[in-house]
């Protein structure tokens, strides 16, 4: 049995961490059995990050490393039919979403003060007041430092929105009228695309990213399709 350690479900999503949501979506796409243990403090995981899994005595963190490991260990054939060109497309879009669009999410949730006021209640609202204040301050400081180091948050809010909007334009163009990102059946890249587009599009926060998602009719339709097919057992609203 695979044990998936991830953050608690929140904001009407399978997970408000796009990487945790990616991981659980991939497990469902691959048809692997798993159980979930919620963990709020990522410092308890290898590399101090979530998601993490335990499987056959191994503890592995980082969603991409986990997927590579489980593909080998469990003989997953999810992407076995992809051509070299399709694999290249999947890799490029994965990198764009995880290494660029992600920092738009970080900016929107942790740097924008109005949205941060909402986010800290989602993540830390159940903490005792004294601990909550300390944890919020430390977590926000680290997120802002990391976002500044990456560089996107050094721009104006308008420029951040513009750049993430270009990412979503590219995703929408590649998706087109296809039911899944690369064609008529889901593949591993769909776990990443669904997780990041759904997190950007969540209306539970008073932020502007859903406008960027909703200007493409195929993106919310895609998210609704993925949710209905792979998470119909969860009551998330």
């Amino acid at each position: 049995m695979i044990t998936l350690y991830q953050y608690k479900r929140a904001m009407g999503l399978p997970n408000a961490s796009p990487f945790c949501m990616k991981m659980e979506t991939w497990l469902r796409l691959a048809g692997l059995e798993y159980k979930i243990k919620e963990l709020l403090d990522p410092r308890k995981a290898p590399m101090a990050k979530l998601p993490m899994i335990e499987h056959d005595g191994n503890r592995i963190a980082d969603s991409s490393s986990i997927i590579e490991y489980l593909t080998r260990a469990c003989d997953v054939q999810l992407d076995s039919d992809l051509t070299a060109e399709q694999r290249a497309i999947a890799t490029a879009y994965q990198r764009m979403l995880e290494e660029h669009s992600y920092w738009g999410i970080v900016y929107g949730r942790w740097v924008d003060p109005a949205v941060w006021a909402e986010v800290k209640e989602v993540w830390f609202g159940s903490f005792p007041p004294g601990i909550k204040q300390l944890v919020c301050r430390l977590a926000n400081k680290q997120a802002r430092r990391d976002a500044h180091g990456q560089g996107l948050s050094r721009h104006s809010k308008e420029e951040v929105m513009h750049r993430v909007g270009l990412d979503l334009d590219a995703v929408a163009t590649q998706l087109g009228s296809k039911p899944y990102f690369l064609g008529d059946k889901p593949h591993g890249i769909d776990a990443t695309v669904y997780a990041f587009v759904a997190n950007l599009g969540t209306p539970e926060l008073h932020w502007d990213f859903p406008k960027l998602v909703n200007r493409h009719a195929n993106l919310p339709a895609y998210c609704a399709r993925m949710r209905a097919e792979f998470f119909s057992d969860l009551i998330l609203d």
Side-chain angles (χ1 to χ4, degrees):
M1 174 64 72
I2 299 163
T3 301
L4 171 62
Y5 292 82
Q6 63 177 14
Y7 298 107
K8 66 179 181 179
R9 303 193 191 281
M11 297 194 294
L13 296 164
N15 208 281
S17 159
F19 290 102
C20 289
M21 183 170 162
K22 166 196 169 184
M23 190 65 249
E24 187 175 6
T25 303
W26 186 89
L27 288 168
R28 291 181 176 229
L29 289 170
L32 298 178
E33 293 187 13
Y34 66 96
K35 61 181 179 180
I36 287 176
K37 287 190 177 181
E38 291 182 354
L39 190 65
L40 185 58
D41 187 353
R43 293 175 300 176
K44 298 179 181 179
M47 300 174 67
K49 64 191 301 183
L50 295 177
M52 171 187 77
I53 65 159
E54 288 183 347
H55 178 257
D56 283 351
N58 299 303
R59 303 183 85 199
I60 304 167
D62 183 90
S63 60
S64 293
S65 296
I66 296 169
I67 288 170
E68 287 184 9
Y69 165 80
L70 290 176
T71 296
R72 294 191 304 269
C74 301
D75 191 27
V76 174
Q77 300 295 314
L78 186 59
D79 291 342
S80 61
D81 63 326
L82 293 180
T83 66
E85 181 179 0
Q86 288 174 318
R87 291 177 187 276
I89 291 170
T91 297
Y93 275 91
Q94 178 187 336
R95 295 290 187 267
M96 181 187 73
L97 290 166
E98 295 185 4
E99 307 296 341
H100 184 263
S101 308
Y102 169 72
W103 292 103
I105 295 174
V106 173
Y107 174 87
R109 291 179 178 176
W110 298 80
V111 178
D112 187 324
V115 183
W116 163 240
E118 299 179 52
V119 169
K120 68 181 180 181
E121 293 303 318
V122 172
W123 286 109
F124 310 112
S126 62
F127 283 34
I131 296 176
K132 174 184 174 182
Q133 184 177 10
L134 175 62
V135 171
C136 284
R137 184 169 66 250
L138 292 175
N140 184 257
K141 181 180 180 180
Q142 179 175 331
R144 293 173 71 92
R145 181 198 66 200
D146 293 348
H148 185 79
Q150 187 273 340
L152 185 61
S153 73
R154 302 187 190 203
H155 294 280
S156 67
K157 179 178 179 179
E158 291 73 22
E159 182 63 16
V160 172
M161 295 289 295
H162 171 66
R163 295 189 179 200
V164 174
L166 293 176
D167 292 353
L168 290 168
D169 292 347
V171 171
T173 298
Q174 170 61 29
L175 176 62
S177 60
K178 300 186 295 295
Y180 302 101
F181 198 65
L182 293 175
D184 294 331
K185 59 174 286 191
H187 294 89
I189 184 59
D190 286 287
T192 299
V193 174
Y194 173 44
F196 280 82
V197 174
N199 264 270
L200 284 164
T202 180
E204 277 73 9
L205 296 175
H206 293 90
W207 63 346
D208 294 328
F209 287 110
K211 296 177 184 177
L212 302 180
V213 174
N214 293 334
R215 69 187 184 186
H216 301 284
N218 62 345
L219 294 183
Y222 169 80
C223 289
R225 191 160 55 249
M226 290 290 293
R227 178 166 173 166
E229 183 167 355
F230 297 104
F231 286 95
S232 61
D233 58 309
L234 298 183
I235 299 175
L236 300 171
D237 295 318

